Amino acid sequence: VNFATADGTTNPATAGVDYAANSGTLTFAPGVTLQTVPVDVFGDTLDEPNETFFVNLSGSSGPTILDAQGLGTISDDDIPGITIDNVSLPEGNAGTTPFVFNVTLSGPSLSQIRVNYATANGSGAGIFPATAPSDYTTASGTLTFDPGETVETVTVNVNGDATAEPNETFFVNLSAPTGGATIVDNRGDGLILNDDSPTFSINNVTVTETNTGTVNATFNVTLSVGNTGVTSVDFATADGTAAAPGDYTTSQGTLTFSGTTTLRTLVVPVVGDTLDEANETYLVNLSNATGGATILDDQGVGTINDNDTSGISIGN
């Protein structure tokens, strides 16, 4: 009996694409009741309906053909997975910067596939959340993958500013896929990179001297924002109308900031006396900022208020 493959009629498999065409003649020797027809089916990663092809019999040399057609069904085993990437960009100093997220199917589909998306403020350990609408503009909607398409995009506009701040994060979350797809990675992270330098500042301090010993003048050195890596700044005292070592004790060194630290202190001992004199000043100067920081206010003024008054007396 002769045999030949043929494409199906419902969701047809295509010879040369889905399976290898085959034809020939089967011979049953005396006593033989079974022969086989091999048809090679080609594997792929395309999401598609189950497909069919036929093996048709014809031209029997003697017996009648009771069932002339075998149906071959190719069951699809491809389920498209949906993923979203992460985006990391500097925010800019003004206007908006588009963060474009790629949402990808693991392979093409013959069916239309949809998936919802929506932005959300960042959250979780170690994350500094970006907040809508001040840091970015919210976005939500539905992405549609037409047959054959594997990439769609989501654009989120990030607002630029000139404020030094930690890097901030927002999310783009995927949900509710259709068309038989599954979500493999449901969250894209948008990391807004701070491109504004953190700054150092120092305050002014006033203390009243004592008659003996010393009193400490404590200066605050402030970093405008923490979590920008390790930064440091040098400090050193300098004479004004007050002079070291008679009026105060010289001090110098380096202050280091890391982690969430935004405040360090330095102490200048002020020397007491009983001399009636005008209020005096000395300086604490900042220099040599490191770690990408700059110095906004480089000089703290220390004022020493005099506590001594002169008295006039006359003897007997």
Side-chain angles (χ1 to χ4, degrees):
V1 65
N2 299 326
F3 68 88
T5 55
D7 294 351
T9 55
T10 302
N11 294 328
T14 302
V17 176
D18 299 306
Y19 70 96
N22 195 9
S23 62
T25 300
L26 298 175
T27 299
F28 293 79
V32 175
T33 61
L34 177 67
Q35 295 288 358
T36 59
V37 176
V39 179
D40 290 332
V41 171
F42 303 138
D44 61 38
T45 58
L46 178 66
D47 176 43
E48 55 194 340
N50 296 338
E51 298 170 311
T52 61
F53 64 93
F54 299 129
V55 177
N56 296 314
L57 301 181
S58 63
S60 172
S61 63
T64 59
I65 297 176
L66 181 63
D67 182 353
Q69 189 172 76
L71 176 66
T73 300
I74 304 173
S75 296
D76 183 63
D77 59 357
D78 303 300
I79 299 175
I82 303 174
T83 59
I84 184 170
D85 65 359
N86 301 319
V87 178
S88 176
L89 289 172
E91 63 186 359
N93 291 331
T96 59
T97 298
F99 279 44
V100 180
F101 295 81
N102 291 320
V103 181
T104 306
L105 282 180
S106 58
S109 175
L110 295 181
S111 303
Q112 188 181 80
I113 290 175
R114 295 185 176 185
V115 65
N116 295 335
Y117 68 90
T119 53
N121 297 341
S123 62
I127 290 178
F128 287 86
T131 304
S134 58
D135 296 313
Y136 69 96
T137 302
T138 58
S140 62
T142 300
L143 298 176
T144 299
F145 296 83
D146 288 326
E149 294 181 341
T150 57
V151 179
E152 295 290 334
T153 59
V154 174
T155 299
V156 180
N157 288 320
V158 170
N159 301 323
D161 61 43
T163 302
E165 55 195 342
N167 296 335
E168 298 171 312
T169 301
F170 65 92
F171 301 141
V172 178
N173 296 314
L174 302 181
S175 63
T178 66
T182 60
I183 296 177
V184 177
D185 181 358
N186 73 325
R187 192 183 84 184
D189 291 358
L191 180 62
I192 305 173
L193 300 177
N194 174 60
D195 54 5
D196 304 298
S197 298
T199 57
F200 287 111
S201 300
I202 186 170
N203 67 332
N204 300 322
V205 177
T206 299
V207 297
T208 300
E209 67 178 7
T210 56
N211 291 334
T212 59
T214 60
V215 60
N216 287 335
T218 301
F219 290 81
N220 293 328
V221 178
T222 305
L223 184 64
S224 60
V225 62
N227 288 283
T228 56
V230 177
T231 58
S232 66
V233 65
D234 295 339
F235 68 91
T237 53
D239 289 350
T241 56
D247 297 311
Y248 71 94
T249 302
T250 58
S251 182
Q252 63 182 12
T254 299
L255 300 174
T256 300
F257 296 72
S258 62
T260 59
T261 300
T262 58
L263 176 66
R264 293 287 190 193
T265 60
L266 61 93
V267 174
V268 178
V270 172
V271 180
D273 60 38
T274 58
L275 177 64
D276 179 28
E277 55 191 341
N279 295 339
E280 298 172 308
T281 61
Y282 61 92
L283 307 174
V284 180
N285 295 313
L286 301 182
S287 63
N288 192 31
T290 68
T294 60
I295 299 174
L296 180 64
D297 181 356
D298 68 345
Q299 192 171 81
V301 178
T303 300
I304 305 172
N305 285 341
D306 183 64
N307 71 331
D308 303 299
T309 58
S310 297
I312 301 174
S313 61
I314 187 170
N316 296 322

